[in-house]
Amino acid sequence: MEYRRLGRLGHESSVLIYGAAALGDVDQATADASIQQALDAGINHLDVAASYGDAELRLGPWMPRIRDRVFLATKTGDRDREGAWASINRSLERLQTDRVDLLQLHAVGDLDELGTVLGNGGAIEAAVRAKDEGLVGDIGITDHGDQAGPTHLEALRRFPFATVLTPLNPVLWRDPAFRDAYRALADEVHRQDAALMTIKTASRRNWPDGADQTHSTWYEPLTEAERIRAAVSWVLAHDEITGLATAGDVRLLGAIVDAERDRLDPADAEALLSRDPEYSSPFLHMTI
């Protein structure tokens, strides 16, 4: 497993970040097997959220054993100070810990939402209080929409977020507007020595209307090992990325771990994925 510095936080994080959304709707035994698989692979960065079903509850029993071995991040989707403060404390209780390393403002998708969370009485006030009181190590921001790039760039201009979690994959990169916004964001992240993490590596497309949704991801994921290898290889070839979040289905973790260990040349990876006529942005028809 490769490790990269998590910006000015200084943590040497595994380039695969355990996407605990995969634990939102599984039993404890399934969760235990997946968490152990991640740890055995060398993953030392766990990413969860208050809104991920039972995921925090599934991670909680592990914390007394592994808390000093992992970087633990969670998220609040509440937009106001009081709601976010309650969310942060509820997450700590569910995670069976007195502190997380990173608290992220979750799914801030446009400038209006950004104004709300950073405004008077907004969620940022609860996050700053939690940091001041030692409940969280630092504060980040996330989104998974097509406006993430410009929204996150403006977020960094308004507040010194330590981390950004933003979408990136080969099919999104083909869009010149997305690519330009991402590059501007990456430049500002570098200037501030923040950490840039990414999501949607394993996304193939939106679920087609009427399709049998075979996985717990809100998008249809890549499932063939060679395509997963291509997507992971392409994203990790971006050295500005500190890590990618693994997909939100426990059954995909093994292929993603294998892909990190045996990477393709990024040009070959892009060529392989371009042969899939259904490969497309998951943001064409947002379902969440």
Side-chain angles (χ1 to χ4, degrees), residues 76 81 84-89 92 98-100 102-103 123-139:
T76 178
R81 178 181 58 233
W85 180 249
S87 172
I88 293 163
N89 284 276
L92 292 172
D98 59 3
R99 183 180 186 273
V100 295
L102 182 67
L103 184 280
I124 193 63
E125 295 182 1
V128 170
R129 177 185 173 188
K131 181 180 177 182
D132 289 345
E133 294 187 12
L135 303 180
V136 309
D138 220 315
I139 303 166

Side-chain angles (χ1 to χ4, degrees), residues 6 71 93 101 123 127 160 185 197 224 227 230 241 243 247 252 257 283:
L6 198 64
F71 185 93
E93 181 179 354
D101 298 297
L185 172 63
M197 304 173 288
E224 296 176 9
R227 288 180 178 175
I241 291 292
L252 297 172
V257 167
F283 307 136

Side-chain angles (χ1 to χ4, degrees), residues 93-281:
E93 181 179 354
R94 285 158 60 100
L95 287 165
Q96 299 184 36
T97 186
D98 59 3
R99 183 180 186 273
V100 295
D101 298 297
L102 182 67
L103 184 280
Q104 297 159 105
L105 303 186
H106 193 192
V108 180
D110 57 41
L111 294 180
D112 288 341
E113 281 195 300
L114 181 66
T116 298
V117 298
L118 295 186
N120 185 37
I124 193 63
E125 295 182 1
V128 170
R129 177 185 173 188
K131 181 180 177 182
D132 289 345
E133 294 187 12
L135 303 180
V136 309
D138 220 315
I139 303 166
I141 191 167
T142 86
D143 187 42
H144 48 66
D146 59 358
Q147 292 303 302
T151 303
H152 286 159
L153 178 60
E154 182 60 24
L156 288 173
R157 290 169 173 162
R158 298 188 193 182
F159 184 85
F161 289 102
T163 68
V164 174
L165 183 63
T166 202
L168 180 67
N169 64 35
V171 74
L172 293 171
W173 189 257
R174 295 173 192 168
D175 178 354
F178 180 93
R179 187 167 63 247
D180 289 347
Y182 174 86
R183 283 172 167 160
L185 172 63
D187 287 345
E188 183 62 19
V189 165
H190 177 73
R191 190 186 72 80
Q192 295 193 22
D193 195 22
L196 187 60
M197 304 173 288
T198 192
I199 50 177
K200 302 299 174 280
T201 301
S203 169
R204 183 183 182 222
R205 60 177 178 176
N206 289 120
W207 288 109
D209 291 340
D212 179 19
Q213 296 194 12
T214 56
H215 291 76
S216 54
T217 46
W218 64 263
Y219 52 84
E220 181 184 339
L222 300 167
T223 56
E224 296 176 9
E226 197 64 8
R227 288 180 178 175
I228 292 174
R229 181 184 177 212
V232 169
S233 299
W234 187 90
V235 169
L236 291 181
H238 287 252
D239 58 10
E240 74 278 5
I241 291 292
T242 61
L244 64 89
T246 60
D249 191 300
V250 295
R251 294 169 293 174
L252 297 172
L253 180 60
I256 293 172
V257 167
D258 289 344
E260 188 276 332
R261 291 173 176 163
D262 184 23
R263 300 182 209 172
L264 289 171
D265 177 87
D268 293 339
E270 163 65 19
L272 189 155
L273 290 166
S274 70
R275 293 196 288 271
D276 179 0
E278 302 301 327
Y279 189 42
S280 57
S281 168

